[in-house]
Amino acid sequence: MQQVAIGIDLGGTQVRAALVDEQGRILTRLAEPTDALAGPDRVLAQICGLADRLLAASKPASVVGVGVSAPGPLDTVAGVATDIPTLPGFVDFPLKAELQKRFAFPVDLENDAIAAAIGEWQFGIGKGLDNLVYVTVSTGIGGGVISDGRVVRGRKGMAAHVGHMSVVPNGELCPCGNRGCFEAYGSGPAFARRAQMRAVESRETTIGSGGGTIDSRSVFAAARNGDRLANQLVDEEAEVLGRGFTSLIHIFSPDIIVMGGGLSHEFERLQPGIQAYISQWAMPAFKDVKVMLAALDQNSGLVGAAALAFLAGKVAPIDHL
Amino acid sequence: MQQVAIGIDLGGTQVRAALVDEQGRILTRLAEPTDALAGPDRVLAQICGLADRLLAASKPASVVGVGVSAPGPLDTVAGVATDIPTLPGFVDFPLKAELQKRFAFPVDLENDAIAAAIGEWQFGIGKGLDNLVYVTVSTGIGGGVISDGRVVRGRKGMAAHVGHMSVVPNGELCPCGNRGCFEAYGSGPAFARRAQMRAVESRETTIGSGGGTIDSRSVFAAARNGDRLANQLVDEEAEVLGRGFTSLIHIFSPDIIVMGGGLSHEFERLQPGIQAYISQWAMPAFKDVKVMLAALDQNSGLVGAAALAFLAGKVAPIDHL
């Protein structure tokens, strides 16, 4: 019988679920708005409902398990959601145990960006590689790391909060409360904020000229139309990302950096600037490391969650001690 | 028969060698100035000579292998020294193969800061922990990481060049050629340079007042004597280190940060400032991570190299995929 896994991507706005085969192909996919305000019991019922519908719609198959990706901070060693900002009530909540009560299959839990890294490693652009750093550049900046053919998890499974490395002493305020984090400079909102401030100062730009909102999308659109300030802003964003990625290259020595998240939809425009920074400023042994676009786009985490279920059953000999 | 390993710490100024037992105890220890200018053949002969003398002086024992720690950049996957700045002639040099030719025991090779991390993990302050980041703060800043009970090596075994994460955009020039690296702000020479500049501007300080050289040691001495500027400078250094360590805590989620290297001799003075930064600015789940002093001091790398030889023979079941 065909082996499949259920992948769940629990987000603050959407719960998504998919039946995924061993090749990482999505066989069926469902989504609904997260009933976040109704609290944990209702959200868990949503997850179970989606899984039931997936299985009811599928051909007979052997389900190896359920992998759940959720926003952090998540102590995946204890299986506990410490305090998910976008999901009220998930405070010190034993998410893994509560899920396991509701499923007949083994349940695995992973921080969302680590799940996305696993997805890209097992079934996406990083397939076959032993070392990659996945960075999602979106409302925030998150990450997941594969090193020496293994997921880097760390204490409480909370490794790879790469958005919160300091890049400017006492710099811009970050949503985490600190100042000067990578996220406070490289995220979509940080990029848009720079654009808003600079557009006001400029007389020549078309950014925001029609009175429309200035967001990442409109700045990239203006850049495509030849707006000089917009192109400057985009080049600066590429430099911010290039500098952050170069730090991560020195820290993890990955085979590649994988870029996902909302801003990766503008990868083609950003990539040359990012790569130029790496080539110029990385140390000699690291200059050839490439930044690549996530292959699974918004499904990296969903497929990665399913991949967790496949991986959980496997045991391999150790080659790195 | 007693099991022992030979640890070699190859440095630009000294070659050190030790016979180490399974508990990490140094049974015999030898050192001599590195005959660096004479080139690789001579340096390899030094290493063999030291090993021979160690074995001749020891009681009968079973030698499990030779572990060699060397300054990077070292491609430990290929066993090749790419270009060691302090050791002329070690350019694309097949160090592991050349060593293996000369020894009857299995030879292992490791980047020096990773070897030191292994030493502290196996036999030092990190014994029994699964996650630690070792940072040596000295002439430069280097690192080694243990995550989920394994050494993080990455592509070419070159992970953990933590001194080259960017902390200030277009900041101070770093020996690596880039600007604004952690090393360019946190290393001993960077600290001394700040002291030199600020001492000139100050009328009240005793730093450099006798016309003596201003180095890390003299600034810490002045601080102990109550000099205000010196204490300010030390507090700033603690903040620089605290900020860098906090980034590493977010990136790796270690159980502890282990500080080694020359500046760790002033750990008692620096620790409160470093810890205060972490407590204040790390994200909630990470605020309790402690910075601790390396237990093996200058022998972390030497003992770690020997530990490599013990580890190389072991195979354990996988618990993290």
Side-chain angles (χ1 to χ4, degrees):
Chain A
M1 212 183 324
Q2 190 184 20
Q3 299 245 315
V4 298
I6 298 172
I8 306 280
D9 187 354
L10 171 60
T13 45
Q14 273 206 323
V15 196
R16 301 185 305 141
L19 212 61
V20 177
D21 74 8
E22 281 189 286
Q23 280 73 49
R25 284 178 299 228
I26 293 177
L27 305 175
T28 322
R29 188 175 173 284
L30 297 169
E32 57 185 56
T34 311
D35 203 353
L37 295 177
D41 266 353
R42 170 71 192 117
V43 171
L44 287 170
Q46 282 191 291
I47 291 173
C48 295
L50 287 168
D52 286 345
R53 281 165 58 200
L54 280 178
L55 293 174
S58 82
K59 284 181 281 190
S62 162
V63 180
V64 299
V66 185
V68 179
S69 152
L74 211 61
D75 179 341
T76 54
V77 173
V80 170
T82 319
D83 184 3
I84 305 181
T86 51
L87 295 172
F90 284 86
V91 178
D92 295 324
F93 184 83
L95 184 53
K96 187 172 175 179
E98 287 297 326
L99 284 163
Q100 190 61 77
K101 276 187 202 167
R102 290 162 172 83
F103 280 105
F105 324 110
V107 172
D108 271 282
L109 187 64
E110 193 54 89
N111 277 289
D112 49 9
I114 295 182
I118 294 172
E120 291 295 333
W121 171 46
Q122 289 290 300
F123 300 123
I125 192 73
K127 202 172 168 174
L129 299 179
D130 278 343
N131 305 285
L132 68 84
V133 176
Y134 168 87
V135 185
T136 169
V137 184
S138 199
T139 313
I141 292 184
V145 178
I146 310 300
S147 190
D148 310 319
R150 296 172 201 288
V151 182
V152 174
R153 291 203 166 93
R155 188 180 80 132
K156 303 181 188 174
M158 284 192 188
H161 277 83
V162 302
H164 304 285
M165 62 178 171
S166 174
V167 299
V168 180
N170 305 310
E172 298 282 339
L173 192 62
C174 180
C176 79
N178 197 356
R179 289 187 168 275
C181 296
F182 184 30
E183 176 169 310
Y185 286 85
S187 71
F191 170 66
R193 213 156 37 237
R194 271 199 302 275
Q196 287 152 11
M197 287 175 54
R198 300 268 286 278
V200 172
E201 296 164 4
S202 166
R203 290 177 192 181
E204 290 178 354
T205 187
T206 60
I207 303 176
S209 58
T213 43
I214 300 175
D215 55 12
S216 299
R217 197 181 300 249
S218 65
V219 181
F220 277 100
R224 266 190 297 277
N225 288 328
D227 187 275
R228 206 165 121 187
L229 175 63
N231 277 295
Q232 257 174 35
L233 286 160
V234 172
D235 290 342
E236 285 170 26
E237 175 70 12
E239 189 179 326
V240 169
L241 295 176
R243 189 183 300 119
F245 292 178
T246 299
S247 291
L248 294 173
I249 288 169
H250 290 148
I251 289 170
F252 286 108
S253 191
D255 297 310
I256 58 171
I257 295 271
V258 181
M259 179 172 164
L263 250 67
S264 73
H265 296 146
E266 300 288 352
F267 185 76
E268 221 171 294
R269 174 65 182 83
L270 289 165
Q271 186 270 345
I274 297 172
Q275 198 68 59
Y277 189 95
I278 297 169
S279 307
Q280 185 168 8
W281 295 115
M283 294 194 296
F286 302 95
K287 283 186 191 299
D288 60 336
V289 178
K290 296 275 175 288
V291 53
M292 304 188 83
L293 177 62
L296 307 174
D297 194 16
Q298 57 170 322
N299 291 324
S300 306
L302 189 59
V303 172
L308 261 184
F310 285 121
L311 283 171
K314 286 185 196 162
V315 173
I318 286 184
D319 46 359
H320 289 92
L321 265 165
Chain B
M1 211 183 324
Q2 188 184 23
Q3 298 245 315
V4 298
I6 298 171
I8 307 280
D9 187 353
L10 170 59
T13 44
Q14 272 206 321
V15 195
R16 301 185 304 142
L19 212 61
V20 177
D21 74 9
E22 281 188 285
Q23 279 73 48
R25 285 179 298 230
I26 294 178
L27 306 176
T28 322
R29 189 175 172 285
L30 297 169
E32 56 184 57
T34 311
D35 203 353
L37 295 175
D41 265 354
R42 170 72 191 117
V43 171
L44 288 170
Q46 282 190 290
I47 291 173
C48 295
L50 287 168
D52 286 346
R53 282 165 55 199
L54 281 179
L55 294 174
S58 82
K59 284 180 282 189
S62 162
V63 180
V64 299
V66 184
V68 179
S69 152
L74 211 61
D75 180 342
T76 53
V77 174
V80 169
T82 319
D83 183 3
I84 304 179
T86 50
L87 294 172
F90 283 86
V91 178
D92 295 324
F93 185 82
L95 183 53
K96 187 172 176 181
E98 287 296 326
L99 282 164
Q100 191 59 79
K101 275 187 201 166
R102 291 165 172 81
F103 280 104
F105 324 109
V107 172
D108 272 282
L109 188 63
E110 193 54 270
N111 277 288
D112 49 9
I114 295 182
I118 294 172
E120 291 295 333
W121 171 46
Q122 289 290 302
F123 300 122
I125 193 73
K127 200 170 170 177
L129 298 179
D130 278 343
N131 306 284
L132 68 84
V133 175
Y134 169 87
V135 185
T136 169
V137 185
S138 198
T139 312
I141 291 183
V145 178
I146 310 300
S147 190
D148 310 318
R150 297 172 201 289
V151 182
V152 174
R153 293 207 164 90
R155 187 180 82 132
K156 302 183 188 174
M158 283 191 188
H161 278 81
V162 303
H164 304 285
M165 60 179 173
S166 175
V167 298
V168 180
N170 305 310
E172 297 284 338
L173 192 63
C174 181
C176 79
N178 197 355
R179 289 187 168 277
C181 296
F182 184 29
E183 175 168 311
Y185 287 84
S187 71
F191 170 66
R193 211 155 38 237
R194 272 198 302 277
Q196 287 153 11
M197 286 175 55
R198 301 267 286 280
V200 172
E201 295 163 6
S202 165
R203 288 177 193 181
E204 289 177 357
T205 187
T206 60
I207 303 176
S209 59
T213 42
I214 299 175
D215 55 13
S216 300
R217 196 181 301 249
S218 65
V219 180
F220 277 99
R224 265 190 297 275
N225 288 329
D227 187 275
R228 205 165 123 189
L229 175 63
N231 277 294
Q232 256 177 35
L233 285 160
V234 171
D235 290 342
E236 285 171 28
E237 175 69 12
E239 189 180 326
V240 168
L241 295 177
R243 189 183 299 119
F245 291 178
T246 299
S247 292
L248 295 173
I249 287 169
H250 290 148
I251 289 170
F252 286 108
S253 192
D255 298 309
I256 58 169
I257 296 271
V258 180
M259 179 172 164
L263 250 66
S264 74
H265 297 145
E266 302 288 351
F267 185 76
E268 221 172 295
R269 174 64 183 82
L270 290 165
Q271 187 270 344
I274 296 172
Q275 198 68 59
Y277 189 96
I278 296 169
S279 308
Q280 184 167 10
W281 296 116
M283 294 195 295
F286 302 94
K287 283 187 191 298
D288 60 336
V289 178
K290 296 276 175 289
V291 54
M292 304 189 82
L293 178 62
L296 308 173
D297 193 17
Q298 57 170 323
N299 291 325
S300 306
L302 188 59
V303 172
L308 261 183
F310 286 120
L311 284 171
K314 287 185 197 161
V315 173
I318 286 184
D319 47 357
H320 288 90
L321 263 163

